[in-house]
Amino acid sequence: MAARAYWKGHIRLALVSIPVEIYSATKSGAAVSFRQIHEPSGKPVKYEKVVPGIGAIDHDDIVKGFELSKGNYVLLDDEEIAAVKLESKRTLELVQFVDSNAIDVLYYTKPYYVVPADELAEEAYIVLREALKRTKKVGLGQLSLRGQEQLVALRPCGRGLILEVLRYADEVNKAADYFREVGSAKPDSDLLDLAETLIGNKSGEFDASDYENHYVDALKRVIAKKAKAKGKRVLEDVEEPDVGAKGSNVIDLMAALKASVDGKKKPAPKKAAATAKTPAKKAPARKRA
């Protein structure tokens, strides 16, 4: 495995200890990053540490400060901060198990692949993986790393295990603070049926490769064009989505849902008899010549 392990240690379940290695499951290759450049010289911009009313200062004169109130700081030096850092441990103890759907998506931050460290660890690794699958549980523990303690969840993933770093409770805003003004009335049953039909028509298996980051792709094309144009200004033509006529924000929800559903359905065969509730009007009799 070419990647460098993020962490090496043991997963402990009671008296069972499993040697494992953890690798990052994600990468930031899709992002396009820029540096600030001084255009006349073409050189990158650097930043000086400055204090208002004083100007540039020496790096050795900088300490960390925690703001208690506006303009009021508690200053800490590196030794004081280092004194409270936790010792990195090589053991992740699973202290609790919860239902696999019990953790809200808001708590997840970053996933890691967990693999057995060697062949001897594989048997216990597989037993843990299958036990989590059969019980539909997720293991919880705290991992001490780089002086800090991270809350983590361990879950099965195919033939392996995934470790996901979680946020602590005080890092998540309460949803009620944002959704309090949203109405709780039940929607019209006909509208709900149409919405469910539309969801059913668009349902399928998730495959991340089906989706592209169109902004990043367009930005890369602009960069490539400008590199070939030797600095000349170029613009990328990007089609804007058709959002319909501007003006009124009033939406006929029933008509919009019906149109969306009908657009996914095949034309229905014509019926022999009319289904309207009111009888059809008779055509006027022809006048005799």
Side-chain angles (χ1 to χ4, degrees), residues 95-170:
V95 297
Q96 185 185 10
F97 294 88
V98 299
D99 292 339
S100 58
N101 60 353
I103 303 175
D104 194 286
V105 66
L106 292 172
Y107 289 92
Y108 293 108
T109 64
K110 186 173 177 59
Y112 292 88
Y113 293 129
V114 181
V115 299
D118 49 46
E119 292 183 2
L120 295 176
E122 190 169 304
E123 182 180 6
Y125 177 93
I126 292 174
V127 169
L128 176 58
R129 180 195 69 196
E130 293 305 307
L132 291 173
K133 284 183 179 181
R134 289 175 61 175
T135 58
K136 297 181 179 179
K137 298 289 185 181
V138 174
L140 298 178
Q142 288 178 289
L143 186 67
S144 297
L145 184 67
R146 297 175 182 174
Q148 298 186 19
E149 195 169 41
Q150 296 177 324
L151 177 62
V152 298
L154 188 71
R155 65 171 66 243
C157 176
R159 293 194 295 174
L161 292 169
I162 288 282
L163 181 140
E164 295 176 280
V165 178
L166 305 177
R167 294 182 176 92
Y168 286 96
D170 60 358

Side-chain angles (χ1 to χ4, degrees), residues 5-227:
Y6 176 75
W7 181 83
K8 295 181 180 181
H10 294 75
I11 293 177
R12 180 180 294 167
L13 176 59
L15 298 178
V16 179
S17 184
I18 309 170
V20 296
E21 295 178 353
I22 295 177
Y23 297 86
S24 178
T26 59
K27 57 183 178 180
S28 58
V32 175
S33 59
F34 293 98
R35 291 194 62 182
Q36 291 188 323
I37 303 298
H38 180 237
E39 188 174 8
S41 65
K43 295 181 178 180
V45 176
K46 294 185 178 181
Y47 294 92
E48 287 185 314
K49 300 290 185 179
V50 297
V51 175
I54 297 178
I57 59 172
D58 191 274
H59 184 271
D60 293 336
D61 294 332
I62 299 175
V63 296
K64 292 181 174 65
F66 180 84
E67 189 171 22
L68 294 176
S69 59
K70 186 67 175 179
N72 183 25
Y73 300 91
V74 170
L75 304 182
L76 298 173
D77 59 35
D78 291 340
E79 291 182 357
E80 290 173 314
I81 296 174
V84 299
K85 285 188 176 181
L86 299 176
E87 181 182 353
S88 295
K89 297 180 181 179
R90 293 297 174 183
T91 300
L92 169 60
E93 184 171 0
L94 301 179
V95 297
Q96 185 185 10
F97 294 88
V98 299
D99 292 339
S100 58
N101 60 353
I103 303 175
D104 194 286
V105 66
L106 292 172
Y107 289 92
Y108 293 108
T109 64
K110 186 173 177 59
Y112 292 88
Y113 293 129
V114 181
V115 299
D118 49 46
E119 292 183 2
L120 295 176
E122 190 169 304
E123 182 180 6
Y125 177 93
I126 292 174
V127 169
L128 176 58
R129 180 195 69 196
E130 293 305 307
L132 291 173
K133 284 183 179 181
R134 289 175 61 175
T135 58
K136 297 181 179 179
K137 298 289 185 181
V138 174
L140 298 178
Q142 288 178 289
L143 186 67
S144 297
L145 184 67
R146 297 175 182 174
Q148 298 186 19
E149 195 169 41
Q150 296 177 324
L151 177 62
V152 298
L154 188 71
R155 65 171 66 243
C157 176
R159 293 194 295 174
L161 292 169
I162 288 282
L163 181 140
E164 295 176 280
V165 178
L166 305 177
R167 294 182 176 92
Y168 286 96
D170 60 358
E171 297 178 280
V172 177
N173 293 324
K174 293 181 179 180
D177 294 340
Y178 299 89
F179 301 147
R180 186 177 290 111
E181 302 300 325
V182 179
S184 59
K186 293 184 178 180
D188 182 271
S189 59
D190 290 338
L191 291 174
L192 195 57
D193 289 342
L194 282 170
E196 289 178 356
T197 300
L198 182 60
I199 291 172
N201 290 342
K202 290 180 172 289
S203 295
E205 297 293 329
F206 173 70
D207 185 352
S209 62
D210 291 338
Y211 300 87
E212 297 178 9
N213 190 328
H214 298 96
Y215 169 75
V216 171
D217 291 343
L219 197 56
K220 288 180 177 179
R221 288 196 297 270
V222 171
I223 293 171
K225 283 183 180 179
K226 189 146 193 179

Side-chain angles (χ1 to χ4, degrees), residues 206-284:
F206 173 70
D207 185 352
S209 62
D210 291 338
Y211 300 87
E212 297 178 9
N213 190 328
H214 298 96
Y215 169 75
V216 171
D217 291 343
L219 197 56
K220 288 180 177 179
R221 288 196 297 270
V222 171
I223 293 171
K225 283 183 180 179
K226 189 146 193 179
K228 290 182 179 179
K230 297 181 180 179
K232 294 181 180 179
R233 192 165 184 262
V234 296
L235 292 175
E236 176 75 10
D237 294 328
V238 179
E239 292 184 4
E240 294 291 336
D242 184 11
V243 295
K246 295 182 178 179
S248 175
N249 287 329
V250 179
I251 300 173
D252 186 338
L253 186 56
M254 178 68 79
L257 286 171
K258 282 184 176 179
S260 300
V261 171
D262 292 341
K264 290 293 181 180
K265 287 183 176 180
K266 295 180 180 178
K270 294 182 179 180
K271 296 181 179 179
T275 58
K277 293 182 180 179
T278 56
K281 294 181 179 181
K282 294 182 180 180

